[in-house]
Amino acid sequence: MASLASTLEKLTHGNKRTEKIRRYIVVEAIYQNSGQIAPLDEIVRLKEKYRFRVILEESHSFGVLGKSGRGLAEHYGVPIEKIDIITAGMGNALATDGGFCTGSIRVVDHQRLSSSGYVFSASLPPYLASAAISAVDHLEENPSVLANLRSNITLLHKELSDVQGLEIASNILSPIVFLKLKTSTGSSVADLELLEVISEKVLKEDSVFIAATKRSSLDKCRLPVGIRLFVSAGHTESDILKVSESLKRVAASVL
């Protein structure tokens, strides 16, 4: 947040055009590459101080965070009106496909006006929209789904707390559980090779699929290297114990 504040200060200090141009802070609610949760309360404070807008990407937090699963704003108690645009893919908590982009009436009207060509050429099939609506209804009518998800995340954190050579770096509320090496080899390439060996052995020996993070030459920031696990409310206790036992055994043999 200190880096963000410094960047916003540099962009706005002495710039007479700043109040006349559209400026956005674009942020992931739950970061796909680390499982960390964005500090939305602080981001909104900076947005208001420097007169920016916020675009919030909620693909991994919608249906997950907040008392009723409404996402990051509900989690932090931030009034939804303070978030200018919210986007999310519907392939995670809603178990369908496509995505949505929403905001104030002014924002939505602008989208309808400027995006009509794209909307009519690549719009969401009605049955996928219907599936998403049914999923939202299911979440509202069955709050136990969220309780099951959080219980599964907590159990996985507990079981993986003593994996040899690895430590959890993700937030306790994130369904993306991110493991990193306790001690780096000193080379991100070598670190990734070790983690890929672990992922491959776990899959080959126990039919458990986990993902080692990938790096790209196009990345503008240094992404963390680690192993990602994705938890859902549909996993059973035996599923989570199987993953944990497999990962512990393989990590001990590799590291």
Side-chain angles (χ1 to χ4, degrees):
M1 289 301 100
S3 174
L4 174 60
S6 175
T7 300
L8 298 181
E9 180 67 31
K10 289 175 183 177
L11 288 171
T12 56
H13 184 69
N15 188 345
K16 295 180 180 180
R17 294 183 62 246
T18 53
E19 293 186 9
K20 298 180 180 179
I21 59 176
R22 294 172 182 156
R23 303 168 301 169
Y24 297 91
I25 300 170
V26 185
V27 59
E28 285 182 85
I30 296 179
Y31 287 94
Q32 181 169 297
N33 288 310
S34 68
Q36 290 291 329
I37 294 178
L40 187 63
D41 51 350
E42 180 68 10
I43 290 168
V44 168
R45 187 187 70 79
L46 291 172
K47 160 209 163 165
E48 293 176 340
K49 178 180 179 180
Y50 292 100
R51 299 177 64 85
F52 272 64
R53 294 180 173 94
V54 168
I55 298 178
L56 182 61
E57 211 297 311
E58 295 231 57
S59 291
H60 295 292
S61 56
F62 183 69
V64 173
L65 294 181
K67 184 179 179 181
S68 62
R70 281 174 164 78
L72 194 64
E74 185 182 48
H75 172 69
Y76 276 103
V78 172
I80 199 68
E81 296 79 17
K82 291 182 179 288
I83 311 302
D84 301 276
I85 298 174
I86 293 175
T87 68
M90 300 191 300
N92 298 319
L94 301 186
T96 178
D97 204 354
F100 65 85
C101 179
T102 189
S104 66
I105 292 174
R106 186 178 179 185
V107 167
V108 172
D109 284 347
H110 182 272
Q111 286 183 274
R112 288 198 179 106
L113 177 66
S114 62
S115 308
S116 58
Y118 177 79
V119 168
F120 288 114
S121 64
S123 58
L124 194 67
Y127 70 89
L128 291 179
S130 179
I133 292 169
S134 296
V136 171
D137 290 343
H138 182 74
L139 280 170
E140 290 185 331
E141 295 164 6
N142 298 275
S144 61
V145 174
L146 284 172
N148 291 342
L149 173 62
R150 288 160 188 165
S151 175
N152 285 345
I153 296 170
T154 300
L155 177 60
L156 187 61
H157 271 253
K158 177 184 176 183
E159 292 298 320
L160 296 180
S161 61
D162 59 348
V163 179
Q164 185 170 322
L166 297 173
E167 61 183 356
I168 298 174
S170 52
N171 190 286
I172 186 62
L173 295 175
S174 170
I176 301 173
V177 178
F178 189 87
L179 293 163
K180 67 177 184 178
L181 291 170
K182 286 182 179 178
T183 305
S184 171
T185 62
S187 162
S188 60
V189 174
D191 287 352
L192 186 56
E193 287 176 353
L194 273 177
L195 297 168
E196 286 178 338
V197 168
I198 292 172
S199 299
E200 290 167 5
K201 285 177 68 70
V202 166
L203 178 61
K204 184 176 181 180
E205 296 177 10
D206 299 308
S207 300
V208 170
F209 181 71
I210 58 177
T213 56
K214 301 296 182 183
R215 296 288 291 275
S216 168
S217 59
L218 299 177
D219 294 332
K220 293 185 177 181
C221 60
R222 298 185 64 182
L223 297 175
V225 175
I227 289 174
R228 283 181 300 179
L229 298 89
F230 299 85
V231 187
S232 84
H235 286 124
T236 63
E237 182 177 340
S238 61
D239 292 332
I240 292 171
L241 294 177
K242 178 181 178 180
V243 171
S244 304
E245 290 165 4
S246 174
L247 194 49
K248 286 179 183 179
R249 189 189 73 254
V250 172
S253 66
V254 173
L255 302 176

